[in-house]
Amino acid sequence: MPADPRAVLTRPAPPPDATVAYGDHPDQCANLRRPAGDGPPRRLVVVVHGGFWRAEYDRTHTGPMAAALAALGHPVAQVEYRRTGQPDGGWPHTLTDVLAGVAALPGLAAAALPGLVAAAPPILVGHSAGGHLALYVAAHAPATVGGVLALAPVADLAEAYRLDLDSGAVVALLGGGPAEVPDRYAAADPSSLVPIRIRTVVMHGPLDRQVPVAISRSWVAAARAAGSPATLVELPECEHFGLIAPDSAAWPQVVAALRSLHDDLPGIDAASPSR
């Protein structure tokens, strides 16, 4: 019997090396993982988890992928944020939390794990709703982002609303539909934020039942037409959860895309460690 692809959501992972806070709320925090080995310094990878922005899904389920990336030599931060279903979740705090976390985490990680480099903007790896948040940060605070790897992102909130993805997830995030809160869609929807000047790789599989691959196809086409350095990589046999599962057939291609993003950025060897 085939393995349940959702099993990655509850799979255990090694504990993080440290947890840091970027704000006063308990969910304004991140788990940090030190890179394995003695290779050259690499930029921090900030993993932005999905779960349709809902409180029942937190950063824990990205533990396996974060541990796998750290084992490959990448320093990793699993950022948490306030989510819908919580008193302070949804608009605007879910979005502003990730903005604040991404800006603060390179310095916080270098202070908590001495030897890491604090100067270089991190690469964001966002899955599903986390892919939406990664694109949002890249659009609104490009100076804080080195690159974006968006895995099955909810890259068009208006279309996700029309499709009623996850039974009202976008309404829970923004407080209404595009006709009711148009200013919020204008500010938060990646389809309204192109061009995004940060190099972005979008990966998606046509077997995805949670976020249709057509959303990524249309977003990348619109982004490229507007001048964004965006690329779409389709994985023919991939569904939604294989993109974050280190034992999946898709995983080597996810790693290759991350390495490509990293290697195309300026080197950080000359940057000074914070301590």
Side-chain angles (χ1 to χ4, degrees), residues 160-189:
Y161 167 81
R162 286 190 287 269
L163 295 173
D164 196 28
L165 295 189
D166 204 55
S167 302
V170 178
V171 170
L173 175 69
L174 296 184
E180 299 162 299
V181 287
D183 291 349
R184 295 182 182 185
Y185 280 80
D189 192 341

Side-chain angles (χ1 to χ4, degrees), residues 31-265:
N31 291 347
L32 304 179
R33 297 179 186 271
R34 181 184 294 278
D38 298 317
R42 290 196 172 112
R43 290 169 185 261
L44 181 69
V45 173
V46 177
V47 174
V48 190
H49 73 82
F52 282 106
W53 313 280
R54 298 191 188 276
E56 54 262 43
Y57 300 100
D58 63 15
R59 68 191 184 281
T60 305
H61 75 263
T62 59
M65 73 176 296
L69 293 175
L72 293 171
H74 297 276
V76 181
Q78 297 164 251
V79 67
E80 192 56 272
Y81 50 89
R82 287 173 282 184
R83 304 173 303 287
T84 62
Q86 301 170 306
D88 296 317
W91 177 270
H93 298 125
T94 294
L95 295 97
T96 57
D97 279 1
V98 182
L99 275 173
V102 169
L105 277 170
L108 291 172
L113 303 176
L116 300 188
V117 176
I123 294 174
L124 308 187
V125 179
H127 177 239
S128 193
H132 156 258
L133 293 168
L135 294 173
Y136 170 85
V137 174
H140 284 278
T144 69
V145 180
V148 174
L149 177 55
L151 307 174
V154 187
D156 187 330
L157 296 185
E159 180 65 8
Y161 167 81
R162 286 190 287 269
L163 295 173
D164 196 28
L165 295 189
D166 204 55
S167 302
V170 178
V171 170
L173 175 69
L174 296 184
E180 299 162 299
V181 287
D183 291 349
R184 295 182 182 185
Y185 280 80
D189 192 341
S191 67
S192 300
L193 299 175
V194 295
I196 291 176
R197 301 300 182 186
I198 301 301
R199 189 184 168 208
T200 300
V201 176
V202 177
M203 304 189 80
H204 214 138
L207 303 184
D208 195 319
R209 296 183 177 181
Q210 280 69 35
V211 181
V213 69
I215 287 180
S216 285
R217 290 171 180 163
S218 62
W219 186 84
V220 170
R224 290 177 64 86
S228 302
T231 303
L232 174 63
V233 179
E234 289 196 36
L235 305 177
E237 303 300 321
C238 188
E239 45 68 57
H240 192 66
F241 301 100
L243 293 164
I244 62 170
D247 59 350
S248 73
W251 182 249
Q253 295 177 80
V254 173
V255 171
L258 174 61
R259 288 283 171 85
S260 174
L261 272 172
H262 189 283
D263 293 346
D264 284 350
L265 290 167

